[in-house]
């Protein structure tokens, strides 16, 4: 699969093999397409040269971010899908900048957050644990703009960051969610769908199977007082960051 680069170590390359069921030809094609995309998108320098000054305003309108680690040491990614207010987002930023921020966060996760988590856990961490809150999700969230943006994001994720998702818990699913889920499932590959768990109405026990209470935000039934704006986790510890080889973005938040 070519020379091992800073973005192509053994763990990185193995993700592409797993994503294509260890079919070497298909994995090579996927990897080559991803390297082409990285070059065209400017991904290798995105941690340094993209500045998302509207981050806090964006997160207030589309709450999302990393928050501590699960019981396996994986970073927890929380997203409140039902809170998206696309019209207000348009007043804060553009779709292209939203996509760039999304890619930048994936790069930060791969190059800063996961290495920090690996140091703390004492073993290699290369996947996340996600909590997707769909409270309030309805047909209003299936507008053309939202579907287009989510489709673009999911395509980028699946084609360029394969096998980074360990498990997803969907919480606060309303009765109409099954129709929404059917609509967005077409954007998600079958292997990823298998990692998705739709939690019961009382979701706290389900989350606590994966996450210790002190690593779960209070509003989700845990005891952590940190918010998504805080970006709380071992990647904020200067002593740990000093051991992370990538210097970019270490103090961005």
């Amino acid at each position: 699969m070519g020379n091992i680069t800073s973005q192509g170590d053994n763990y990185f390359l193995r993700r592409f093999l797993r994503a294509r069921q260890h079919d070497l030809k298909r994995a090579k094609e996927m990897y080559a397409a991803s390297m082409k995309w990285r070059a065209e998108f400017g991904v290798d320098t995105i941690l340094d040269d993209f500045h998302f000054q509207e981050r806090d305003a964006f997160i207030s309108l589309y709450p999302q971010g990393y928050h501590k680690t699960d019981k396996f040491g994986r970073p927890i990614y929380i997203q409140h899908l039902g809170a998206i207010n696309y019209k207000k987002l348009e007043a804060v930023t553009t779709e292209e900048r939203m996509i760039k921020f999304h890619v930048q966060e994936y790069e930060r996760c791969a190059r800063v957050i996961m290495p920090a988590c690996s140091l703390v856990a004492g073993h290699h961490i290369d996947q996340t644990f996600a909590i997707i809150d769909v409270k309030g999700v309805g047909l209003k969230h299936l507008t053309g703009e939202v579907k287009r943006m989510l489709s673009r994001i999911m395509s980028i994720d699946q084609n360029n960051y394969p096998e980074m998702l360990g498990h997803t818990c969907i919480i606060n699913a309303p009765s109409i969610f099954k129709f929404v889920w059917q609509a967005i499932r077409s954007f998600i590959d079958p292997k990823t769908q298998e990692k998705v768990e739709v939690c019961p109405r009382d979701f706290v026990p389900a989350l606590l199977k994966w996450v210790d209470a002190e690593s779960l935000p209070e509003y989700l039934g845990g005891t952590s007082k940190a918010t998504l704006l805080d970006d709380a986790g071992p990647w904020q510890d200067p002593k740990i960051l000093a051991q992370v080889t990538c210097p970019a973005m270490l103090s961005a938040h």
Side-chain angles (χ1 to χ4, degrees):
M1 297 182 72
N3 295 327
I4 302 299
T5 67
S6 61
Q7 292 304 314
D9 61 23
N10 288 324
Y11 289 111
F12 182 81
L13 296 175
R14 191 172 66 181
R15 289 189 188 133
F16 289 88
L17 282 169
R18 290 203 307 255
R20 291 297 179 259
Q21 292 74 50
H22 291 84
D23 182 320
L24 187 59
K25 181 176 182 295
R26 293 175 62 223
K28 282 183 176 179
E29 291 171 350
M30 183 184 186
Y31 177 79
S34 180
M35 292 303 100
K36 182 174 183 290
W37 169 81
R38 292 183 70 90
E40 292 173 349
F41 204 86
V43 176
D44 289 343
T45 60
I46 200 169
L47 294 185
D48 297 307
D49 58 26
F50 178 65
H51 305 284
F52 197 60
Q53 296 93 339
E54 62 269 41
R55 171 185 176 267
D56 288 5
F58 172 77
I59 290 176
S60 70
L61 295 170
Y62 185 0
Q64 58 182 279
Y66 293 96
H67 183 93
K68 302 191 176 182
T69 58
D70 71 0
K71 292 181 179 181
F72 295 95
R74 301 175 297 192
I76 301 169
Y77 178 75
I78 301 173
Q79 184 181 83
H80 296 278
L81 198 59
I84 295 178
N85 190 320
Y86 196 85
K87 290 301 179 186
K88 288 187 177 180
L89 279 174
E90 287 182 314
V92 169
T93 189
T94 65
E95 183 173 312
E96 290 307 313
R97 286 182 64 79
M98 289 185 231
I99 298 294
K100 269 205 159 186
F101 177 64
H102 178 80
V103 172
Q104 186 183 62
E105 283 292 88
Y106 246 117
E107 285 296 303
R108 187 169 72 96
C109 183
R111 291 196 252 167
V112 178
I113 292 176
M114 285 178 174
C117 291
S118 298
L119 285 170
V120 173
H123 58 85
H124 184 71
I125 299 290
D126 64 359
Q127 291 188 322
T128 63
F129 174 79
I131 301 173
I132 309 299
D133 185 355
V134 295
K135 183 178 182 179
V137 168
L139 297 179
K140 66 180 180 180
H141 291 93
L142 291 180
T143 63
E145 295 94 339
V146 173
K147 287 177 71 173
R148 182 185 65 247
M149 182 177 70
L150 291 178
S151 177
R152 286 185 65 188
I153 286 173
M154 290 176 184
S155 177
I156 287 171
D157 295 354
Q158 292 174 172
N159 293 334
N160 304 289
Y161 300 98
E163 295 296 305
M164 280 184 68
L165 174 65
H167 190 78
T168 294
C169 282
I170 293 178
I171 62 172
N172 288 321
S175 56
I176 198 173
F177 178 75
K178 63 181 179 180
F179 299 108
V180 178
W181 177 237
Q182 289 301 320
I184 64 175
R185 281 184 67 165
S186 60
F187 303 135
I188 305 173
D189 68 65
K191 195 170 182 181
T192 300
Q193 291 180 33
E194 294 174 3
K195 299 177 181 179
V196 176
E197 172 188 355
V198 180
C199 298
R201 186 181 297 273
D202 180 11
F203 59 80
V204 176
L207 294 183
L208 290 177
K209 289 179 182 178
W210 299 92
V211 183
D212 291 323
E214 57 266 27
S215 295
L216 195 63
E218 282 185 332
Y219 70 90
L220 291 180
T223 60
S224 173
K225 297 183 183 299
T227 71
L228 293 180
L229 288 174
D230 295 327
D231 192 39
W235 50 92
Q236 294 290 352
D237 187 330
K239 293 181 180 178
I240 294 171
L241 289 179
Q243 301 176 65
V244 175
T245 56
C246 172
M249 291 289 286
L250 296 191
S251 61
H253 295 268

